[in-house]
Amino acid sequence: MFIGKTALVTGSTSGIGLGIATTLAAQGANVILNGFGDAHEVERLRAGLAEAHGVQVRFDGADMSKPETIEAMMGKALAEFGAIDLLVNNAGIQHVAPVDEFPVERWYAILAINLSATFHTVRLALPAMKRNGFGRIVNIASAHALVASPYKSAYVTAKHGVAGFTKTVALEVAECGITVNAVCPGYVLTPLVEKQIPDTARARGITPEAVVRDVLLAAQPTKKFVTVEQVAALTAFLCSDDAAPITGAVLPIEGGWTAQ
Ligand code: NAD
C-alpha cells in the first residue's frame, strides 16, 4: 500500500512507535526509526525490519526535546528521501506528580517532547509534502488529549495542545492533499505500562490482576488494554488513500473511556 513512500515515526525504538513503524514497513514504506535505546538492540531492530519487509530502514537518534537535533534529522531525511510522505509524531514521556510539586524541568521536557517536537517535524516536513501534493501526518496523542486525570498536568496540557495543533494545521493544508489527524489511545500495554504493574501491586498491597482492572483500566469501560497493533492499524488506515477525507480529526481508540 505504501510502496515508494517514506515514513518517519518518532519514538519508534519501543512500544507503540515500533508497532507503527513495523506496520508501515510491512505495507511497503521505507522507514526512519527514531528514539533512544541500546545501540546493538536498535541496529537489530533496524536490520530486522529492513530484511523482513524488503524496505529501506534508517535510524536517527535525534533527541526530540531539542529543536536543533530535530532540524538535523529532518534535513538528513529530506536530503536522502526527497520527502517524508508519512509523518507519525509518537515520541512521548510522562511524569506523575501533584502540580504544586511538579518538577519544573519535567514540565518543560514533557512540553518539548510531547508537543513542541510535533510543531518542529510538521513545519519542516510540510514544504516537500506541499510540493508533492501528498502527505499524511498522524500525531499520537492520548485519551488525555480529550479528558484529564489528576497529577498529569504537563502530559494532559501537552496532549490537549497536540489536539489543537492537529486541527489548526489540518485547516491550513486542507487543499494540499495533506491530512493531519490525532490518534488518542487509552491504556496500551507497552513496556512502560507493564513495568508499573508489579510496583503498583506492591505499593497498594493488591494483586497484579487487581492493579490492571481496578487501577489501570478503571476508566476504560471495556476493561481491556488497547493493543499496539490496533493503534498501528488505525494509524496505517489514516495514512491510506481511503482516509483522504479524514482530516483534523482527534480520534479516540480507548475502549469507551471518553464516552463517559
Ligand atoms: P514507550 O516508552 O514504550 O516509547 C516511547 C518512545 O519514545 C521510545 O522509543 C523512546 O526512546 C522515545 N523517546 C522518549 N524520549 C525521547 C526523546 N527525547 N527523543 C526521541 N525519542 C524519545 O512509550 P509508548 O507507551 O509506546 O508511548 C508512545 C506514545 O503513545 C507517547 O506519545 C505516549 O504519550 C502515547 N500514549 C501511550 C499510551 C500507553 O498506554 N502506553 C496511551 C496513550 C498515549
Side-chain angles (χ1 to χ4, degrees), residues 10-17 34-37 61-65 89-93 113-114 140-143 155 159 184-193:
T10 70
S12 48
T13 51
S14 132
I16 294 170
N34 159 260
F36 297 151
D63 181 341
M64 299 305 289
S65 71
N89 288 298
N90 167 81
I93 59 166
I113 296 165
N114 297 18
I140 304 304
S142 167
Y155 187 85
K159 295 297 188 180
C184 300
Y187 271 105
V188 183
L189 196 53
T190 60
L192 194 83
V193 174

Side-chain angles (χ1 to χ4, degrees), residues 119-143:
F119 160 66
H120 291 299
T121 58
V122 166
R123 73 179 171 84
L124 295 164
L126 275 181
M129 287 181 173
K130 285 181 179 170
R131 272 197 304 278
N132 291 344
F134 179 87
R136 293 286 184 266
I137 299 173
V138 182
N139 300 321
I140 304 304
S142 167

Side-chain angles (χ1 to χ4, degrees), residues 59-146:
F59 170 71
D60 195 308
D63 181 341
M64 299 305 289
S65 71
K66 298 192 165 71
E68 60 279 10
T69 61
I70 299 173
E71 281 180 14
M73 172 178 74
M74 296 298 286
K76 222 169 110 190
L78 291 166
E80 184 169 8
F81 292 103
I84 294 161
D85 308 290
L86 320 174
L87 171 63
V88 182
N89 288 298
N90 167 81
I93 59 166
Q94 174 65 284
H95 187 85
V96 180
V99 68
D100 49 346
E101 293 169 19
F102 212 90
V104 171
E105 166 274 324
R106 285 289 85 193
W107 171 273
Y108 283 114
I110 289 175
L111 288 191
I113 296 165
N114 297 18
L115 177 59
S116 300
T118 298
F119 160 66
H120 291 299
T121 58
V122 166
R123 73 179 171 84
L124 295 164
L126 275 181
M129 287 181 173
K130 285 181 179 170
R131 272 197 304 278
N132 291 344
F134 179 87
R136 293 286 184 266
I137 299 173
V138 182
N139 300 321
I140 304 304
S142 167
H144 283 121
L146 299 163

Side-chain angles (χ1 to χ4, degrees), residues 146-228:
L146 299 163
V147 293
S149 297
Y151 313 123
K152 296 184 175 176
S153 55
Y155 187 85
V156 171
T157 300
K159 295 297 188 180
H160 274 65
V162 169
F165 180 70
T166 298
K167 293 181 200 177
T168 306
V169 182
L171 296 179
E172 290 185 21
V173 299
E175 293 186 48
C176 304
I178 303 166
T179 68
V180 191
N181 292 292
V183 165
C184 300
Y187 271 105
V188 183
L189 196 53
T190 60
L192 194 83
V193 174
E194 235 166 295
K195 271 185 265 164
Q196 298 171 25
I197 296 173
D199 294 345
T200 310
R202 264 192 303 278
R204 293 185 178 231
I206 55 178
T207 64
E209 293 72 29
V211 170
V212 169
R213 188 178 172 86
D214 302 332
V215 182
L216 296 181
L217 299 182
Q220 216 152 289
T222 54
K223 301 296 174 200
K224 284 196 178 107
F225 285 107
V226 179
T227 68
V228 164

